[in-house]
Structures are given as structure tokens and as C-alpha cells.
């Protein structure tokens, strides 16, 4: 081979090496900056809580005063873009290419969509928002007969179509970049091609850093609400009290339990947990529907949905412009500062986490199917959930039962033992710290009616789900073993060789070790097959395999 033909290959290899090193450097910079920023934020909040609170309060006022119009337009434009993509000429494009097929069935996919996008926020605000808004809101300033319908409509608005449109746009960009353009599943790789070449690297660093920080801060908001609700439930049941120590213990416990689910993986952990959570949510809604004011709910649901749909775009674009005339200096003086701006900010900060997860599980879906599945189906579930649960607050005992069910469904008795051990240790430390308070009285009929549903039935359902998942896992392993063997000779085939070769190669690269590959050649094997038939050739292969 001449030097002219070798030079381009050498230059290409050098360029690849330079690009790889640059990317590793960028990743290190991103991790370092994010770690320093998170530690600085946590340290400032713990060391100077009053100052940190004042800074956050002033920033929230600044955003509310100057950018309420932006949030209103952004959410509405996101919804309009979703409608255009779903029903336009791009709707038939398939995530992953024309030959791609969905990795997960519809129920599993819808369950994971709902579980990742609506967690403690929906559980908390589905009850709080309608109760807080039915006496006065922009659609019914004086409350009255329209107060309940309009309060429910604002709950639908903040947790249904518009919020999911924000998640959908982020998820679609990541999914198309990852599956169709073969780029890494990062925000910088999904965005930098839209930017000038001269500033792509620096812009990529900024985009990825902001996405990570937004995810951390968005999740911290969710954990904060989870701690408040869980602590309130424990205090309601046992009179344990509400202190910073208890809330911190709850946050740490929930973080550890969530980390276990993430460590297990999507297929074995999140998929099963999401399906179980969806089933339990449906059962819980059915229970509240039956034990609650059934006839009133049957009348309220269609009426409030009609109010919501008839005012959908009016609510989406409502900015309370009159305040800009009269003037205001604090976010608490603006209704949007309390609600829409806060929830849209939360949705935006949560969108990197939700979008990346949705992108990962949506391989094989068309863009139309993707958008309808991400926006419409979860929105319908949210609307029904808020309509039923918005009038029936439940104690945190239900959340405890769900956590226990999740641990068993995700990892069986082995994981459940670890989770129960952690919960018992944390509970005992907190209980002893507070002087062993005990109050077992219950004052609400709803709580008593919910106890069987929240404990025995859900745990039994999780046991059934666990056994089904174990049987399915065994069957999948059996099919995988069969696929790796030659059907006639019952010896490993080429697929197993390629799999072992690839895994060994990755291991040597990761551990910086060496491995050796030995290939054996049977002389005149084609002549043996031609002269004596394939049965003799197969016999020779089998004998060689047995010798090895």
C-alpha cells in the first residue's frame, strides 16, 4: 500500500483520537462544574438559610415580573409544535429508522410515561390545587357555583396537556438525535448541530451543564414536596411531629429507595415498577370513586373537562397583563407567580430528566404515535386522577404501601428485606429522637375505607406481579440460550461467539487488560462436505467441539 493511501486513514484516526480526547475533557469539565455548583448551592442553603431564601425569593420575583409572558408563550408554542409534528408530514417518521419496532408494549410504555412524568407533584397538587383555588381563581374570581369547575380546570391545565407538551418536545429532540442520527444521548449532541461551528464546543458545555443542574434542582423540588407530604401523613397517623430532622431523614430514605430502582435498570426495575404503579393508581382511583361521592364525581368530571377544554388556550395565554399597568414588586402579588410561572418553571427544570427517560424507552414509535402517547394518554390519566382524588385527600400510609410494593416487584424478597431494614432503622431513630410518640386514632371515614386497598390488596398485587416477572425472565433466558446454540448439533453458534467476543473486547478496553483469540481451521472442510455430505461435516464439527 502506498504512502498516499495510508495518509488519509492515519489522518482520520488522528482526528478521531483528538475528538475523543476533547470529549473526555469536556465531560470532565461538566462533571466538575456541576459538582462544585451543587455543593455550593447545598452549602449556601444549609449554612445561610435566610440569605439563600432571600436570594431565591428575589429571583422568583424577577422572573415573575419580567418573564410571565415568556412562560405563557413557551408552553402554548410547545403544544402547537406538538400538534403540527403529530399531524403534519413528519408524523410518519419512525424513531430508530423505518425498520425499527417498539421495544415495549403499549401498557408498559404508557405506564413508564406516567410514572416518570407525574410523581409526587401530581399526588401533592392534585389535592392541594383544587382546594386552594375553588374560592377564587382567574376564571371565577368570586368562586361561587363555578368555583369548583374552574378550580379543577386549572389543575388539569397545570398537570395535563401543556406540561406534557413541554416534556414531549425535549424527549422528541433527544430520541431523534439518539436513534435516528446515532448521536450520544446527551443534550449537547441534540442541540449543537443547530449552532455555528465556531461556538459548538463551548455552547455544548453550557447546554449540558445547565441541563444537569436543572435536573438536580427539579428533582430536589419533587423530593421536597415528597418529604412534606410523607411527613404530614406520618404526623396525621402517629403524631410524630414535623421537624427538619424528620424531613431530612425522609428525603434520604426516599433517595436510597429510588437509587435501588435505578440501579436495577429499566427492564427489571423501572418497567415493572411503572406497570405496578399504574395498576395501583387505577385501583386507588377506582376505590376513591366507589367509596367517595360517586354521583357527584360522575357529574363533575365531564363538566370540569368541558370547562377546561373551552378555556384551554385562554388559560395558556393568560398573563394578567393589568398587573403590568398597576405594577407589583413581589411574586406573591401575582396569581401567576403562585401558580403558572412556578409550575412551568418546575416542568422546565424537570424536562431534562423526563425527556431523557422518555427518549430511551420510545424506540420504534412513529413521531405521531410518540406525541399522542406522550401528550394525550398521560393527560387523560391526569385529568381523571385530579377529578377523583382532588376531593379525597389520602394519608401517607398509601405511599408507604406503594414503596413496599415497588421494592418487592423490583427485586423480590431480597431487595424488600434491605428496603424494610432501611425503613425500620430510619423510623426507629426518628421515633426515639422524638420520645416515642404514639397516636393510633383515625378521624376520617375515608382513611378506614382505604386501609385494605392501600395495604393488603396492593401488596398482594405486587407479589403476583413479581412471580409473573420471574417466570417471564426465566422464559426469556431459555429463549436466549436456545438462540445461542446450533439447532442440529447443540453446540454454540456464531451469535454466541460474536456476543462473547464483543463482551470480552469491552472488558479489556475498560480494564486495560489483554485477551487472546484462537481460531482453528479444519483442512479441506468444504471438500468433506461436498464428497461425503453435510452429516459427516457436522459429525466432524461436533467431534472437534467435544475435544475442545
Amino acid at each position: 500500500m502506498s504512502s498516499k493511501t495510508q495518509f488519509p486513514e492515519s489522518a482520520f484516526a488522528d482526528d478521531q483520537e483528538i475528538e475523543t480526547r476533547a470529549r473526555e475533557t469536556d465531560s470532565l469539565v461538566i462533571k466538575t462544574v456541576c459538582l462544585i455548583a451543587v455543593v455550593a448551592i447545598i452549602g449556601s442553603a444549609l449554612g445561610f438559610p435566610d440569605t439563600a431564601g432571600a436570594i431565591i425569593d428575589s429571583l422568583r420575583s424577577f422572573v415573575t415580573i419580567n418573564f410571565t409572558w415568556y412562560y405563557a408563550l413557551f408552553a402554548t408554542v410547545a403544544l402547537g409544535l406538538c400538534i403540527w409534528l403529530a399531524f403534519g408530514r413528519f408524523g410518519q417518521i419512525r424513531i430508530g429508522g423505518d425498520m425499527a419496532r417498539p421495544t415495549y408494549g403499549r401498557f408498559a410504555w404508557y405506564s413508564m410515561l406516567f410514572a416518570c412524568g407525574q410523581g409526587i407533584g401530581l399526588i401533592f397538587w392534585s389535592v392541594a390545587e383544587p382546594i386552594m383555588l375553588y374560592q377564587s381563581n382567574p376564571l371565577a374570581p368570586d368562586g361561587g357555583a363555578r368555583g369548583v369547575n374552574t378550580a379543577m380546570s386549572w389543575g388539569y391545565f397545570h398537570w395535563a396537556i401543556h406540561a406534557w407538551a413541554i416534556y414531549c418536545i425535549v424527549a422528541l429532540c433527544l430520541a431523534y438525535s439518539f436513534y435516528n442520527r446515532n448521536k450520544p444521548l446527551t443534550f449537547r449532541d441534540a442541540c449543537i448541530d443547530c449552532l455555528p461551528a465556531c461556538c459548538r464546543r463551548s455552547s455544548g458545555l453550557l447546554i449540558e451543564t445547565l441541563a444537569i443542574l436543572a435536573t438536580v434542582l427539579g428533582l430536589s423540588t419533587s423530593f421536597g414536596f415528597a418529604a412534606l407530604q410523607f411527613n404530614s401523613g406520618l404526623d396525621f397517623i402517629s403524631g410524630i411531629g414535623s421537624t427538619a430532622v424528620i424531613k431530612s431523614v425522609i428525603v434520604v430514605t426516599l433517595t436510597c429507595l429510588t437509587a435501588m430502582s435505578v440501579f436495577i435498570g429499566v427492564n427489571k426495575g423501572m418497567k415493572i415498577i411503572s406497570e405496578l404503579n399504574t395498576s395501583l393508581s387505577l385501583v386507588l382511583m377506582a376505590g376513591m370513586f366507589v367509596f367517595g361521592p360517586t354521583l357527584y364525581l360522575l357529574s363533575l368530571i365531564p363538566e370540569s373537562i368541558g370547562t377546561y377544554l373551552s378555556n384551554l388556550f385562554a388559560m395558556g395565554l393568560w398573563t394578567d397583563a393589568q398587573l403590568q399597568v398597576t405594577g407589583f414588586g413581589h411574586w406573591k402579588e401575582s396569581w401567576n407567580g403562585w401558580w403558572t410561572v412556578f409550575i412551568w418553571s418546575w416542568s422546565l427544570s424537570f424536562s431534562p430528566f423526563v425527556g431523557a427517560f422518555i427518549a430511551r424507552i420510545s424506540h420504534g414509535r412513529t413521531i405521531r404515535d410518540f406525541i399522542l402517547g406522550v401528550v394525550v394518554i398521560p393527560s387523560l390519566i391526569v385529568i381523571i386522577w385530579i377529578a377523583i382524588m382532588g376531593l379525597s385527600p389520602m394519608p401517607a400510609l398509601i405511599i408507604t404501601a406503594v414503596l413496599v410494593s415497588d421494592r418487592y416487584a423490583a427485586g423480590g424478597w431480597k431487595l424488600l428485606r434491605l428496603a424494610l431494614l432501611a425503613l425500620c432503622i430510619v423510623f426507629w431513630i426518628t421515633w426515639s429522637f422524638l420520645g416515642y410518640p404514639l397516636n393510633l386514632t383515625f378521624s376520617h371515614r375515608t382513611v378506614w375505607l382505604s386501609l385494605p386497598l392501600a395495604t393488603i390488596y396492593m401488596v398482594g398485587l405486587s407479589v403476583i406481579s413479581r412471580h409473573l416477572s420471574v417466570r417471564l425472565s426465566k422464559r426469556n433466558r431459555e429463549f436466549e440460550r436456545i438462540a445461542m446454540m446450533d439447532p442440529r448439533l447443540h453446540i454454540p453458534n456464531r451469535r454466541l461467539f460474536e456476543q462473547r467476543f464483543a463482551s470480552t473486547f469491552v472488558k479489556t478496553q475498560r480494564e486495560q487488560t489483554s485477551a487472546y483469540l484462537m481460531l482453528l481451521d479444519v483442512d479441506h472442510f468444504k471438500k468433506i462436505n461436498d464428497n461425503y455430505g453435510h452429516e459427516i461435516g457436522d459429525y466432524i464439527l461436533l467431534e472437534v467441539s467435544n475435544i475442545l
Side-chain angles (χ1 to χ4, degrees):
M1 183 180 291
S2 65
S3 59
K4 290 184 178 180
T5 58
Q6 292 178 352
F7 176 75
E9 295 179 2
S10 175
F12 179 72
D14 292 341
D15 290 342
Q16 276 193 322
E17 184 177 356
I18 293 173
E19 185 178 350
T20 301
R21 290 181 179 178
R23 188 172 184 86
E24 291 176 352
T25 302
D26 292 347
S27 299
L28 180 62
V29 171
I30 292 170
K31 293 176 183 178
T32 304
V33 171
C34 290
L35 180 61
I36 293 174
V38 171
V39 172
I41 292 173
I42 295 176
S44 301
L46 293 177
F48 310 96
D50 295 334
T51 303
I55 293 174
I56 294 173
D57 196 65
S58 61
L59 290 175
R60 185 171 178 180
S61 297
F62 175 79
V63 171
T64 303
I65 293 171
N66 296 284
F67 292 101
T68 296
W69 62 271
Y70 169 79
Y71 283 98
L73 287 177
F74 179 83
T76 304
V77 170
L79 177 58
L81 184 58
C82 287
I83 295 173
W84 177 67
L85 288 172
F87 299 103
R89 62 191 181 92
F90 300 109
Q92 295 299 323
I93 296 177
R94 189 173 293 275
I95 304 298
D98 295 336
M99 303 303 294
R101 291 298 177 264
T103 306
Y104 302 99
R106 289 192 177 275
F107 181 75
W109 188 53
Y110 293 149
S111 298
M112 287 189 283
L113 291 177
F114 179 73
C116 78
Q118 302 293 350
I120 197 66
L122 179 63
I123 295 174
F124 185 89
W125 290 110
S126 65
V127 176
E129 188 166 353
I131 292 176
M132 297 175 69
L133 292 181
Y134 83 95
Q135 291 183 338
S136 177
N137 61 75
L139 293 179
D142 300 326
R146 283 175 47 84
V148 175
N149 284 340
T150 53
M152 303 296 286
S153 298
W154 282 108
Y156 303 157
F157 168 71
H158 287 138
W159 299 99
I161 295 177
H162 280 77
W164 281 97
I166 295 174
Y167 297 151
C168 182
I169 292 299
V170 176
L172 183 59
C173 292
L174 289 172
Y176 189 83
S177 172
F178 180 61
Y179 286 116
N180 292 69
R181 305 195 66 186
N182 297 319
K183 291 180 174 292
L185 188 61
T186 62
F187 290 87
R188 49 177 163 163
D189 289 291
C191 299
I192 57 175
D193 287 343
C194 303
L195 303 173
C198 60
C199 63
R200 286 181 179 177
R201 185 177 181 183
S202 57
S203 300
L205 290 172
L206 179 62
I207 290 170
E208 196 71 15
T209 302
L210 291 177
I212 294 174
L213 292 178
T215 301
V216 172
L217 297 177
L219 288 174
S220 66
T221 305
S222 298
F223 276 113
F225 280 122
L228 289 175
Q229 187 180 17
F230 204 95
N231 192 190
S232 299
L234 289 176
D235 185 41
F236 174 82
I237 294 173
S238 62
I240 198 174
S242 178
T243 64
V245 175
I246 296 176
K247 294 173 183 176
S248 300
V249 170
I250 291 173
V251 170
V252 172
T253 304
L254 293 178
T255 302
C256 294
L257 295 176
T258 304
M260 291 181 187
S261 300
V262 175
F263 179 77
I264 292 172
V266 174
N267 290 325
K268 294 183 179 179
M270 293 304 298
K271 176 177 177 290
I272 298 174
I273 289 174
S274 299
E275 290 179 336
L276 179 65
N277 278 340
T278 300
S279 301
L280 297 180
S281 298
L282 294 174
V283 172
L284 180 59
M285 285 194 294
M288 296 308 305
F289 181 78
V290 172
F291 294 123
T294 305
L295 292 177
Y296 179 65
L297 290 174
L298 288 173
S299 302
L300 176 64
I301 291 174
E303 187 174 331
S304 59
I305 291 176
T307 303
Y308 166 60
L309 294 178
S310 63
N311 294 281
L312 180 64
F313 287 99
M315 290 189 295
L317 295 172
W318 191 77
T319 59
D320 198 6
Q322 187 62 29
L323 274 181
Q324 297 296 333
V325 178
T326 58
F328 67 103
H330 197 269
W331 65 266
K332 292 183 178 180
E333 301 174 28
S334 168
W335 188 90
N336 279 314
W338 282 95
W339 295 103
T340 303
V341 171
F342 167 70
I343 294 177
W344 280 180
S345 298
W346 191 6
S347 298
L348 283 172
S349 65
F350 213 53
S351 61
F353 167 75
V354 177
F357 183 77
I358 293 175
R360 172 71 71 174
I361 65 175
S362 298
H363 178 265
R365 306 282 175 184
T366 63
I367 289 181
R368 178 176 296 126
D369 191 19
F370 180 93
I371 292 175
L372 293 179
V374 173
V375 177
V376 177
I377 302 300
S379 297
L380 291 176
I381 299 175
V382 167
I383 289 172
I384 297 174
W385 175 280
I386 292 177
I388 295 176
M389 302 301 294
L391 300 174
S392 304
M394 299 296 297
L397 179 61
I398 294 178
I399 301 178
T400 304
V402 169
L403 287 173
V404 173
S405 304
D406 286 351
R407 293 324 102 191
Y408 188 86
W413 176 242
K414 183 177 180 180
L415 179 59
L416 179 59
R417 281 184 298 181
L418 296 175
L420 288 176
L421 179 62
L423 284 172
C424 291
I425 292 174
V426 172
F427 174 76
W428 185 262
I429 293 174
T430 306
W431 197 31
S432 61
F433 179 79
L434 296 174
Y436 304 102
L438 183 64
N439 180 16
L440 298 179
T441 60
F442 296 89
S443 58
H444 298 292
R445 177 177 63 92
T446 304
V447 176
W448 283 108
L449 293 173
S450 308
L451 285 178
L453 177 67
T455 54
I456 300 174
Y457 187 85
M458 291 195 295
V459 174
L461 185 62
S462 69
V463 172
I464 296 173
S465 300
R466 171 62 185 169
H467 286 304
L468 290 176
S469 66
V470 170
R471 290 179 59 186
L472 181 61
S473 178
K474 290 182 179 178
R475 184 64 60 85
N476 288 338
R477 287 198 297 269
E478 181 65 20
F479 286 151
E480 186 69 19
R481 187 190 66 81
I482 294 174
M484 297 295 181
M485 305 295 290
D486 187 282
R488 296 182 58 187
L489 305 179
H490 302 289
I491 60 176
N493 59 15
R494 179 173 178 175
R495 182 178 177 184
L496 179 60
F497 164 75
E498 292 176 346
Q499 185 186 78
R500 295 281 178 84
F501 181 83
S503 62
T504 304
F505 179 78
V506 172
K507 183 179 179 181
T508 57
Q509 292 291 309
R510 183 176 62 251
E511 300 178 357
Q512 297 297 315
T513 57
S514 300
Y516 301 92
L517 174 65
M518 180 175 67
L519 297 176
L520 298 180
D521 182 29
V522 180
D523 293 334
H524 310 294
F525 185 71
K526 185 177 184 304
K527 185 181 293 186
I528 294 174
N529 273 334
D530 293 339
N531 294 337
Y532 301 101
H534 288 280
E535 291 184 358
I536 299 300
D538 292 343
Y539 173 78
I540 293 175
L541 285 179
L542 187 58
E543 289 300 313
V544 172
S545 175
N546 291 333
I547 293 172
L548 294 177

